[in-house]
Amino acid sequence: MIQASKIIRRPILTEKSLHDAASGEYTFEVAKTANKIEIAHAVKELFKVDVLRVKTSILKNRSKRVLRTRQRAIQPAIKKAMVRVGKEQKIDIFEVKS
């Protein structure tokens, strides 16, 4: 079994993921070799929440133009997981401080 900190790489903080976090669905970049069961165990271990559902998707490589030049940079492929947690449970890193 892979360590939980090796499975969950980082949270994905976009406008859509922050909107979904308000309803209890959080988005993480995860290891490409991790399956849904390992992801659920890792989230449960790291954040002490009950995991109801895990959805995964793989984003392919894509090229992106480098600022003010004609050069192209390749963004690597990543695997992301959308994790739904139990009602009344929150993950603090997604909370917006005002």
Side-chain angles (χ1 to χ4, degrees):
M1 186 94 178
I2 304 173
Q3 291 179 345
S5 60
K6 302 265 187 204
I7 292 175
I8 305 294
R9 297 225 171 120
R10 66 181 180 95
I12 296 178
L13 300 174
T14 61
E15 202 170 326
K16 183 181 186 320
S17 69
L18 291 175
H19 181 269
D20 290 343
S23 63
E25 185 167 287
Y26 301 96
T27 307
F28 297 97
E29 180 182 338
V30 296
K32 290 181 189 174
T33 58
N35 60 31
K36 292 180 180 184
I37 296 168
E38 291 173 336
I39 294 168
H41 286 299
V43 171
K44 187 174 185 177
E45 181 182 325
L46 287 174
F47 302 109
K48 310 290 190 272
V49 293
D50 296 326
V51 176
L52 301 179
R53 181 177 64 204
V54 176
K55 297 187 291 186
T56 60
S57 67
I58 297 174
L59 303 176
K60 296 182 180 179
N61 289 349
R62 59 188 178 126
S63 65
K64 190 174 185 179
R65 191 174 72 122
V66 178
L67 187 65
R68 296 188 189 105
T69 65
R70 292 185 176 192
Q71 296 177 342
R72 304 293 260 177
I74 302 290
Q75 289 186 327
I78 64 168
K79 183 174 187 176
K80 70 177 184 176
M82 289 71 71
V83 178
R84 175 151 320 259
V85 299
K87 285 192 177 257
E88 303 301 322
Q89 293 184 336
K90 304 247 184 241
I91 297 177
D92 291 334
I93 57 173
F94 285 92
E95 297 304 313
V96 177
K97 306 286 191 254
S98 25

